Amino acid sequence: MPSHPETTWVILAGGQARRMGGQDKGLVTLNNKPLIDYVFARLSSQNATIAVNANRNQDVYAQYGNVFSDVFEGFPGPLGGMHAAMSHLDSAWIGFVPCDCPNLPHNLLEKMYAAIEEDTEIVVAHDGESVQPVVTLMSKKIFERLDNFLANGDRKIVLLYDLCNTAFVDFSEEHDAFINLNTPDELEKYGTLS
């Protein structure tokens, strides 16, 4: 397996952001910059090819990369974005990160790629305490399983991981790298700290 397989990294910005009052979370600002700017910068600095899963404001998101919306209706959550990416993109591997995670590790891609072995199908980040299920790298080979999984009404990503050959990558040294900003309160607190 090459150290950098043919991969597109997708910023997941397709959710409803209920806890953010329904605002488009990727475009909510932190220190006067949209959250997606921080995520885009972290991925770009690691030479990622970037695309965006978004179900609204697609013209705005287009400045960050190829934009596509969910195929499954009814906002099936991050899995909907993952499914859409596999439907739209030709890459052998597709990486995913949430749009509200401004502090992603600077070595995210390198460590995720290093975990791929011949039979690996999914690679998932772990912060030392818990799995970060939306920070993941998936082989396109699992598309059919993902399609069936969603068609059966399943929405829990971790259950999909149990159906595949999944490797977990330890990022415990960068525990704070996966801070999610889900609410206006969290955004305000993080903004004063950063």
Side-chain angles (χ1 to χ4, degrees):
M1 178 59 66
S3 58
H4 287 265
E6 183 214 338
T7 309
T8 301
W9 284 82
V10 176
I11 302 172
L12 294 168
Q16 290 176 292
R18 287 191 195 97
R19 286 176 288 178
M20 201 61 91
Q23 296 179 74
D24 193 334
K25 208 191 293 182
L27 303 179
V28 169
T29 56
L30 170 67
N31 297 334
N32 301 314
K33 275 186 1 189
L35 281 176
I36 192 171
D37 270 22
Y38 296 92
V39 179
F40 180 80
R42 284 290 161 105
L43 291 177
S44 297
S45 68
Q46 297 174 60
N47 297 317
T49 300
I50 300 169
V52 182
N53 166 237
N55 291 309
R56 48 189 169 160
N57 296 313
Q58 291 182 319
D59 51 336
V60 181
Y61 284 121
Q63 66 187 297
Y64 300 101
N66 174 11
V67 182
F68 52 86
S69 56
D70 289 357
V71 177
F72 264 84
E73 298 197 354
F75 289 100
L79 281 174
M82 293 170 179
H83 178 273
M86 290 197 185
S87 304
H88 283 85
L89 302 170
D90 293 329
S91 303
W93 286 83
I94 303 174
F96 299 95
V97 293
C99 65
D100 61 352
C101 207
N103 200 28
L104 288 168
H106 290 286
N107 61 349
L108 177 69
L109 275 63
E110 181 189 340
K111 283 184 80 168
M112 296 290 269
Y113 294 149
I116 298 173
E117 294 184 6
E118 207 169 312
D119 58 350
T120 306
E121 295 175 313
I122 298 178
V123 178
V124 186
H126 195 291
D127 69 9
E129 283 176 23
S130 52
V131 171
Q132 298 296 315
V134 184
V135 181
T136 184
L137 182 58
M138 295 182 171
S139 166
K140 201 154 173 194
K141 290 178 195 152
I142 70 153
F143 179 67
E144 204 172 309
R145 263 173 284 170
L146 173 56
D147 194 48
N148 292 334
F149 188 79
L150 283 169
N152 288 335
D154 289 312
R155 298 292 180 263
K156 279 196 174 304
I157 301 180
V158 290
L159 297 180
L160 177 70
Y161 295 163
D162 291 343
L163 300 175
C164 300
N165 189 344
T166 302
F168 296 92
V169 182
D170 181 9
F171 285 96
S172 50
E173 288 175 11
E174 298 157 277
H175 188 270
D176 293 341
F178 301 104
I179 288 169
N180 278 110
L181 303 178
N182 286 311
T183 66
D185 264 6
E186 288 173 7
L187 198 64
E188 194 177 340
K189 273 188 205 142
Y190 187 83
T192 55
L193 295 175
S194 58

